[in-house]
Amino acid sequence: MMRVAQVFSLLFLLDGSFGEYQPTWESLDSRPLPDWYDRAKIGVFLHWGVFSVPSFGSEWFWMYWQDHSSSYVDFMNKNFRPDFTYQDFAPMFTAEFYNPEDWARLFNASGARYIVLTSKHHEGFTNWPSSYSWNWNSKDVGPKRDLLDLANAIKEKAPHIHFGLYHSLYEWFNPLYLKDKAASFHTNNFVVGKTLMELYELVNNYEPEILWSDGDWEAPDWYWNSTAFLSWLFNDSPVKDTVVVNDRWGKGIPCHHGSYYTCADRYNPGILQNHKWENAMTIDKSSWGYRREAKVSDYLTIHELLTTLAQTISCGGNLLVNVGPTHDGRIPPIMEERLRQMGFWLDVNGDSVYDSVPWKHQNDSMTAGVWYTSKGDVVYSMVLTWPEKNELTLGSVVTTNTTVIYMLGHASRPAPLPFHPLGSSGVVVTFPPMSEVTGQWVWVLAMTGVTPI
């Protein structure tokens, strides 16, 4: 018997016809990855919603509170009246300091080439005036405005940055979803009446070039009508030529289907992958949303962030750096600082990142903490730690009689750095005095005329 969800998948396409990409994973996976995404390398993720009001524990606040997690229950008992509900947080989600133009300028300064803003998290609250989320959206309650107007600010202030949206397929406590779940997902009233309609609304109204799907894991892809929606997205949507999607479109789909793979949160395999992938990670080590109780030690240092960047880009991934705005619309200062520090580093060393491709070796065979990328005839080595006695040994590089080595950000550039080969076993490069180098973290060598061992 054909599943009810499959019937809806066929009926939901208005004219019943398909274009170049059929609603099958085999056909959808044949679509080439739009070139801009691999070239961009760096993105900024924003987790923002009603959970930003309690700003305690994590963005899963509502679920953990309802599951009677002791720290969340204690927090509520100490700070709120006994009959307080999660919905009572929504009017406190005020966003009075939210200035999308300022955010766009910050993202531009960070060196990001794309951003992904939360449109709806698992709590179901939509950050735009959705026609399918009555009185549980940012226009009806809380901010009283469309928070996705960041799309316009990006186009005006930073047009080279690609705008994207995160969207959760499921909602923890939506009665329609819970009823479908109770029917083992052989009905999909929630999908065809709400979450799928939201996706069409988002694409048609905001034209995101990234759709970052989540909340898929409890149900198979046929319940979510994933392939039918993606067929429309790739064939007929206003972003059909440039949009990219991740891999979270149903149970068992992550790391198997999608324009690029995320596989799991903070995915960082450390080796070259066969398919384009992304490391979606957080500056706050424990949460995607803002936490008021976080300590300085809970945040990545800039060296830790750049280490993750080097590892990710060297292995062919993109880095999506998450920050959690506050309920009143601010990027917390420590998160802003990390973004600006990353941007400063990219201003100096971006040649080793943007438009780069993995080299023959991803990391060095002799010295730990050295990661490679390449572009044309240039090989870049990202060095995480300044070498002792200013001498770096590279075991994966063989020099030739045309070898030239520079350091990006070296004040005396284009003067090349001295080096001496170790036969067929590598090369020793002499670093300049640190006082002559722009930047304090992760130094990059640009090498031409070298070959891999």
Side-chain angles (χ1 to χ4, degrees):
M1 179 181 294
M2 182 175 286
R3 297 182 177 99
V4 173
Q6 291 174 315
V7 175
F8 276 121
S9 289
L10 296 176
L11 294 178
F12 199 77
L13 294 174
L14 297 180
D15 62 1
S17 63
F18 303 102
E20 179 179 0
Y21 300 105
Q22 301 293 303
T24 66
W25 287 117
E26 181 180 10
S27 179
L28 297 170
D29 288 344
S30 71
R31 177 178 180 261
L33 177 72
D35 184 59
W36 74 261
Y37 180 78
D38 183 51
R39 296 164 64 94
K41 304 301 182 187
I42 308 295
V44 171
F45 211 175
L46 297 119
H47 272 68
W48 198 27
V50 174
F51 52 82
S52 305
V53 177
S55 51
F56 175 85
S58 86
E59 70 289 346
W60 279 55
F61 184 95
W62 192 6
M63 174 60 81
Y64 291 151
W65 177 29
Q66 294 306 299
D67 278 352
H68 306 291
S69 176
S70 60
S71 61
Y72 292 82
V73 172
D74 290 346
F75 174 83
M76 292 303 297
N77 289 341
K78 291 176 182 178
N79 296 288
F80 298 92
R81 66 178 189 270
D83 62 344
F84 195 94
T85 68
Y86 189 78
Q87 287 75 9
D88 291 327
F89 281 124
M92 303 178 192
F93 182 30
T94 50
E96 66 265 34
F97 297 124
Y98 172 49
N99 185 324
E101 289 78 16
D102 286 348
W103 283 22
R105 283 186 281 265
L106 171 61
F107 303 147
N108 185 48
S110 76
R113 295 293 173 87
Y114 63 99
I115 68 108
V116 179
L117 172 64
T118 299
S119 67
K120 183 192 77 172
H121 201 256
H122 312 321
E123 64 191 11
F125 186 91
T126 66
N127 283 338
W128 82 100
S130 175
S131 301
Y132 307 97
S133 189
W134 180 80
N135 210 38
W136 193 233
N137 67 73
S138 63
K139 184 71 171 179
D140 289 344
V141 62
K144 302 290 186 178
R145 62 181 290 186
D146 184 353
L147 301 180
L148 303 192
D149 59 0
L150 179 63
N152 293 326
I154 292 292
K155 290 177 182 178
E156 294 175 4
K157 303 298 181 181
H160 61 285
I161 294 179
H162 299 263
F163 179 74
L165 291 171
Y166 166 104
H167 176 269
S168 173
L169 293 175
Y170 91 145
E171 298 174 17
W172 288 318
F173 304 115
N174 188 297
L176 289 175
Y177 176 71
L178 295 177
K179 188 174 181 179
D180 285 348
K181 184 177 178 179
S184 300
F185 300 113
H186 290 288
T187 62
N188 67 350
N189 296 312
F190 171 72
V191 174
V192 299
K194 189 172 194 301
T195 201
L196 194 60
M197 300 306 296
E198 291 171 346
L199 284 170
Y200 281 88
E201 191 175 54
L202 287 170
V203 172
N204 285 318
N205 291 348
Y206 302 96
E207 300 187 2
E209 293 185 278
I210 309 103
L211 264 186
W212 215 101
S213 181
D214 197 20
D216 63 316
W217 53 83
E218 289 189 345
D221 61 304
W222 51 259
Y223 169 74
W224 299 116
N225 287 344
S226 296
T227 56
F229 169 74
L230 293 175
S231 177
W232 170 82
L233 184 70
F234 294 164
N235 287 316
D236 300 310
S237 79
V239 289
K240 62 185 178 63
D241 296 324
T242 58
V243 70
V244 296
V245 300
N246 69 340
D247 55 350
R248 302 187 184 190
W249 295 97
K251 187 176 181 180
I253 300 303
C255 234
H256 291 89
H257 302 289
S259 305
Y260 62 91
Y261 297 165
T262 62
C263 299
D265 292 350
R266 304 177 181 86
Y267 180 65
N268 189 10
I271 57 174
L272 191 63
Q273 301 296 295
N274 294 325
H275 190 87
K276 184 63 188 181
W277 61 281
E278 179 184 75
N279 180 359
M281 44 73 67
T282 57
I283 291 178
D284 180 339
K285 300 172 187 177
S286 300
S287 177
W288 297 83
Y290 173 61
R291 296 186 301 138
R292 288 179 291 162
E293 80 277 17
K295 301 177 176 62
V296 170
S297 59
D298 292 333
Y299 295 101
L300 294 180
T301 65
I302 184 56
H303 186 269
E304 290 171 326
L305 176 57
L306 293 177
T307 294
T308 304
L309 183 154
Q311 295 168 341
T312 300
I313 304 303
S314 295
C315 295
N318 278 18
L319 188 72
L320 185 59
V321 182
N322 180 78
V323 298
T326 62
H327 77 282
D328 54 10
R330 295 173 295 112
I331 305 293
I334 194 168
M335 296 185 183
E336 177 180 348
E337 180 184 52
R338 291 295 176 272
L339 293 182
R340 292 190 182 278
Q341 288 172 325
M342 181 176 71
F344 174 81
W345 185 87
L346 286 165
D347 283 345
V348 175
N349 300 292
D351 283 349
S352 66
V353 176
Y354 305 120
D355 305 321
S356 68
V357 296
W359 193 46
K360 174 73 173 180
H361 302 286
Q362 279 63 68
N363 57 318
D364 193 67
S365 61
M366 189 172 295
T367 300
V370 176
W371 296 84
Y372 294 104
T373 62
S374 64
K375 188 190 304 180
D377 61 353
V378 182
V379 175
Y380 298 97
S381 61
M382 293 181 270
V383 183
L384 305 184
T385 304
W386 192 272
E388 292 186 12
K389 299 181 180 179
N390 294 347
E391 290 198 337
L392 175 70
T393 300
L394 299 176
S396 299
V397 175
V398 176
T399 58
T400 67
N401 57 7
T402 63
T403 295
V404 179
I405 302 177
Y406 297 101
M407 176 177 284
L408 301 186
H410 182 198
S412 61
R413 192 180 179 196
L417 301 181
F419 65 89
H420 62 269
L422 298 175
S424 60
S425 301
V427 61
V428 176
V429 182
T430 301
F431 275 34
M434 189 178 287
S435 60
E436 295 181 4
V437 177
T438 301
Q440 307 170 44
W441 339 275
V442 184
W443 301 270
V444 178
L445 301 180
M447 304 177 287
T448 57
V450 299
T451 61
I453 289 181

